[in-house]
Amino acid sequence: MPDADSARATAREAIALLTGAAGFTEHRPPPRPLPPDGPLGWAGYDAARERASARTGEEESVVYGTGVVGDRACVLISFEFGFLGGSLGRNTGDRLAAAYELALTRRLPLVALVATGGSRMQEGMVALTQLQRVAAASTRLRAAGLPQIAVVRDPTTGGGWATVGAGADVVLALPGAQVGFAGSRVRPPHADPYAYSAEGQFAAGQVDAVVPADELAATVTQWLRALGPHEDLPAAPVPRALPTAGAEPTAGVGTGSAAGTESAAGGGAVAPLPGTGREAVARARDPRRPRAEAYLADYFAVRLPLHGDRSGATDPGLLCGLGLRADGQPVAYVAQCGTPTRPAGYRAAARTIRLADRLGVPVLTLVDTPGAANDAEAERAGAGAAIADTFAAIAAARVPVTTLVIGEGGSGGALALAAPENTHVTVDSYFSVIAPELAAAILKRPPSETGATADQLRLRPQDLVELGFALSIVG
């Protein structure tokens, strides 16, 4: 089904796009008749509903029930935009609340295929308050550790976007879909249409991925596998092999002691440890060493990115998401890419860690940053609060969090992603309270003493093990 057609597909066509031959079992709540012309007595409302029903074959703007996507059972909600613009009225609220309750009772993930113009004006405040019902039902599902995925179709606007859509754990969008709180007839004149598109919302960090229709079933299947629900999962294993990256990657695989004398797992050679602090810093800053992308590619068979901070910004230097290892185990990841981490990156990290914690998925963090971004824009964007929130997310996590420092560990901007008592370091890494150049400057030492300052800071991998900060060295 072409993207343009699938974005405006009927509710049942959208369900079939995911379930295929696996089928769908529809559920319906007990009927609750409306008063003549609805709660407001809006002249012509009954006739409009009858015409919508005759045109679409549906009794309301939402269809829901159980189905199988790939190999995963779930509860499916699908909006019928042809029925009064997919708007939310009282009976729509009944169906949505029943769908969330069905997911809660059966302990199934919920997948919503959203296409709506918002609340139904012919029902006034009765319609508007359905958003509170949806929010409450979504909160109960979240508290039960059950995931919610939204697929936003064309159009997804108003209260439907602000609850079922944007309120989901993972938000996917079909290409070209109109997505935004303001619909096309109520937004300011001359507003940039890109801001109200799936692609614009992705660029602003409000959507996790824009997925072509022919890839949607496979993508949702992978997300359902990663999100669960799960029984208790073990901690994320530490990546023990340094992946190939750059012209001359560090050789060797294994765990070294502080003295670097232990043999590698499987008999590989242990890479040499840096002899001085200056050497440790130089190796961590070497552009040829492996970076986060290489580690993640080696570690995961499938990666499912979580994109953006949900506050209008993204940080390309920090990668977040859930991955599936070759053994099928899901692990959430937060990985710094060697650049100063921006507030949007920390907010995305905290979002990922809290989602993993709620769903019972272990977390792996890869630390590699010279420090938090410290420019004026970062300060205006709330750098301090964002870093504090990341510290809090890790401190509150009930799932195992495992950290591997793969490069630079620059002060608090790096420590915010480090797991207390479960941090490991590579031979190409260092961690320090402050960069040695800055420490020398503060102490009014000449540049020639930077190396001696680095030694004083005891920032080498073996120093970090001896100080009790790191548990092991990956060679």
Side-chain angles (χ1 to χ4, degrees), residues 298-312:
D298 274 14
Y299 192 70
F300 290 112
V302 175
R303 269 195 289 159
L304 301 164
L306 290 168
H307 180 74
D309 69 349
R310 295 299 187 264
S311 296

Side-chain angles (χ1 to χ4, degrees), residues 312-333:
T314 62
D315 180 358
L318 189 130
L319 305 176
C320 294
L322 273 77
L324 294 169
R325 287 162 32 88
D327 61 5
Q329 179 180 340
V331 176
Y333 63 87

Side-chain angles (χ1 to χ4, degrees), residues 71-99:
D71 57 355
R72 298 288 161 152
C74 60
V75 170
L76 289 156
I77 294 171
S78 190
F79 282 71
E80 176 54 67
F81 189 77
F83 193 103
L84 300 180
S87 56
L88 281 72
R90 190 198 70 182
N91 287 355
T92 320
D94 287 348
R95 292 184 174 216
L96 291 171

Side-chain angles (χ1 to χ4, degrees), residues 95-320:
R95 292 184 174 216
L96 291 171
Y100 282 91
E101 185 63 28
L102 180 63
L104 186 64
T105 301
R106 300 200 179 182
R107 291 204 57 77
L108 291 173
L110 183 139
V111 179
L113 301 157
V114 191
T116 174
S119 299
R120 192 170 298 170
M121 63 181 176
Q122 296 94 332
E123 294 190 25
M125 288 302 298
V126 172
L128 191 63
T129 56
Q130 302 310 307
L131 305 182
Q132 294 172 323
R133 293 182 69 191
V134 172
S138 175
T139 299
R140 288 192 291 273
L141 209 60
R142 189 172 291 113
L146 296 168
Q148 301 169 54
I149 300 172
V151 178
V152 292
R153 299 149 54 208
D154 183 39
T156 298
T157 63
W161 165 237
T163 51
V164 185
D169 299 315
V170 176
V171 182
L172 310 176
L174 288 173
Q178 179 191 167
V179 181
F181 187 66
S184 59
R185 298 184 183 181
V186 298
R187 66 184 61 145
H190 312 300
D192 178 9
Y194 180 73
Y196 304 86
S197 69
E199 292 75 11
Q201 294 285 5
F202 174 79
Q206 311 291 356
V207 165
D208 291 306
V210 178
V211 183
D214 59 359
E215 299 175 14
L216 190 60
T219 300
V220 172
T221 298
Q222 290 175 336
W223 270 114
L224 290 172
R225 289 172 180 164
L227 294 172
H230 305 291
E231 300 301 323
D232 291 341
L233 292 170
V238 181
R240 307 315 288 181
L242 294 180
T244 300
E248 297 180 9
T250 305
V253 178
T255 0
S257 68
T261 58
E262 290 188 12
S263 62
V270 176
L273 292 169
T276 66
R278 184 192 291 275
E279 182 187 350
V281 172
R283 286 171 63 168
R285 294 174 180 174
D286 189 335
R288 298 171 298 175
R289 69 163 171 79
R291 303 284 165 153
E293 277 284 3
Y295 279 92
L296 295 175
D298 274 14
Y299 192 70
F300 290 112
V302 175
R303 269 195 289 159
L304 301 164
L306 290 168
H307 180 74
D309 69 349
R310 295 299 187 264
S311 296
T314 62
D315 180 358
L318 189 130
L319 305 176
C320 294

